[in-house]
Amino acid sequence: MSHSVHDKSTAPSEARPLLEKAEAAYGFVPNLLGVMAESPALLEAYMTIGQIFEKTDFSATEKQVVLLAVSAYNECGYCTRAHTTIASMQGVPDDVAKAAAEGRRIDDPKLEALRTFTTTVVASRGNPDADDLSAFLDAGYQRRHVFDVLTGVGMKTLSNYTNHVARTPLDEQFGG
């Protein structure tokens, strides 16, 4: 069942300032946010978690690996396409973004450890085992990064599930 993609004129009043903020940041209102606007609480939650995820000390490449790994595992075509585009704009190497978006091995061992750990967190419903944690930490990450991954997983779970439920149309800016 598809759902409405709101714009600033059709969105509930509580969502309008958030859509204006998104438009100012991106130059357009992504369809995902237009769909989320149906529930101002969801839109605010997603945008807030996104701002918080930006505060992690992951590099732009690492952030996109997390977001793409979650989206690939959850088979969210909208998010994999959107974040592949965003990754390119942020200077993430194309081979890294493509591998993460397709759920394939990344040649860089540290980034591959991040992709693998993120996928394991999602696949295990937040129950990675001691070996998974050790492999992640042994790759050069710190304990705080385990929880930073959880922040990215929470963010993408909201958007992946929204896109599944709403069948969000891909924006032309993301190749739609």
Side-chain angles (χ1 to χ4, degrees), residues 4-40:
S4 298
V5 179
H6 288 285
D7 60 29
K8 294 181 297 186
S9 67
T10 64
S13 61
E14 307 94 331
R16 290 179 186 162
L18 296 168
L19 294 180
E20 289 171 4
K21 183 177 178 179
E23 185 175 51
Y26 307 124
F28 72 105
V29 175
N31 288 339
L32 168 65
L33 302 183
V35 168
M36 286 181 163
E38 183 71 27
S39 167

Side-chain angles (χ1 to χ4, degrees), residues 41-110:
L42 172 62
L43 179 61
E44 183 178 4
Y46 180 73
M47 291 178 70
T48 301
I49 293 172
Q51 291 169 339
I52 292 167
F53 187 62
E54 283 300 314
K55 294 178 183 180
T56 67
D57 70 350
F58 283 138
S59 68
T61 297
E62 289 168 323
K63 288 173 189 157
Q64 291 304 321
V65 166
V66 169
L67 301 177
L68 283 162
V70 176
S71 298
Y73 185 84
N74 285 331
E75 299 178 353
C76 182
Y78 182 100
C79 286
T80 55
R81 293 284 297 274
H83 282 283
T84 299
T85 300
I86 294 166
S88 178
M89 293 167 50
Q90 292 180 347
V92 175
D94 288 341
D95 61 320
V96 170
K98 187 172 183 183
E102 294 174 359
R104 290 187 294 103
R105 186 181 180 289
I106 298 172
D107 289 336
D108 179 287
K110 187 173 183 185

Side-chain angles (χ1 to χ4, degrees), residues 114-145:
L114 177 60
R115 186 195 69 79
T116 300
F117 182 73
T118 301
T119 301
T120 298
V121 166
V122 177
S124 70
R125 299 181 190 160
N127 287 295
D129 64 28
D131 290 341
D132 297 323
L133 288 166
S134 292
F136 182 64
L137 298 173
D138 289 348
Y141 289 102
Q142 300 169 11
R143 295 194 67 75
R144 71 178 282 174
H145 294 122

